[in-house]
């Protein structure tokens, strides 16, 4: 199977568990970053939360733009499972550091509870295609 040439790739990154967290979306065709949240250090959470928020964020953006066909690629089985269940399953405790992240998570859960995502959400095949284009390049 060939590497996808069209669609949006999302990824999350986290330093620690919980720890400093960020996520972003990248247009696969151009390599252009569509959005990035948490680069300023304002988010603290987990990698699964970051991956889930990235999917919800791009799905909502595509919906606002009337785009129901652009595929969304994610390498996170957990986040895709949360999308299928239409709710996150994070056990992250609310602290001053995690408050903003948990607020975003509550908003994401509320959004997916009232919206469907018509765009295909496809598992990125890292073994066949290499790292997802939205990857932060921090794996050791």
């Amino acid at each position: 199977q060939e590497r996808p040439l069209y669609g949006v790739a999302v990824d999350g990154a986290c330093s620690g568990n919980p720890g400093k967290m960020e996520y972003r979306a990248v247009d696969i065709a151009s390599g252009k970053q569509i959005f990035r949240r948490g680069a300023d250090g304002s988010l603290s959470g987990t990698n699964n939360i970051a991956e889930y928020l990235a999917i919800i964020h791009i799905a909502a953006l595509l919906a606002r733009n009337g785009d129901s066909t652009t595929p969304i690629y994610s390498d996170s089985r957990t986040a895709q499972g949360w999308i299928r269940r239409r709710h996150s399953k994070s056990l992250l405790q609310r602290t001053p550091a995690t408050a903003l992240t948990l607020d975003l998570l509550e908003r994401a859960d509320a959004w997916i509870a009232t919206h469907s995502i018509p765009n295909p959400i496809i598992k990125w095949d890292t073994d066949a295609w290499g790292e997802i284009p939205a990857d932060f390049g921090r794996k050791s």
Side-chain angles (χ1 to χ4, degrees):
Q1 188 179 11
E2 293 291 315
R3 182 181 189 270
L5 301 176
Y6 166 74
V8 176
V10 298
D11 200 27
C14 193
S15 303
N17 186 22
K20 182 182 170 197
M21 177 191 97
E22 62 182 308
Y23 61 91
R24 68 179 178 166
V26 170
D27 177 78
I28 292 172
S30 69
K32 182 175 179 257
Q33 183 170 274
I34 299 167
F35 65 76
R36 184 172 184 177
R37 289 288 314 260
D40 60 358
S42 63
L43 300 177
S44 180
T46 67
N47 194 65
N48 288 334
I49 292 172
E51 300 269 2
Y52 175 75
L53 289 174
I55 294 171
I56 298 284
H57 190 142
I58 194 60
L61 187 62
L62 292 170
R64 274 196 305 277
N65 292 337
D67 180 341
S68 61
T69 59
T70 296
I72 300 168
Y73 289 89
S74 166
D75 61 8
S76 172
R77 290 187 199 284
T78 298
Q80 290 181 43
W82 290 0
I83 295 291
R84 282 191 300 278
R85 284 193 225 49
R86 301 176 70 81
H87 199 278
S88 61
K89 288 190 68 175
S90 174
L91 301 175
L92 186 66
Q93 298 296 310
R94 184 171 287 274
T95 67
T98 63
L100 178 56
T101 299
L102 288 173
D103 290 347
L104 289 171
L105 192 58
E106 288 168 12
R107 284 179 51 199
D109 283 343
W111 186 88
I112 200 166
T114 58
H115 295 77
S116 62
I117 301 175
N119 307 75
I121 299 174
I122 302 167
K123 172 74 171 73
W124 183 265
D125 187 346
T126 304
D127 291 339
W129 305 331
E131 287 297 340
I132 194 163
D135 186 70
F136 288 91
R138 298 191 191 132
K139 294 175 184 70
S140 49

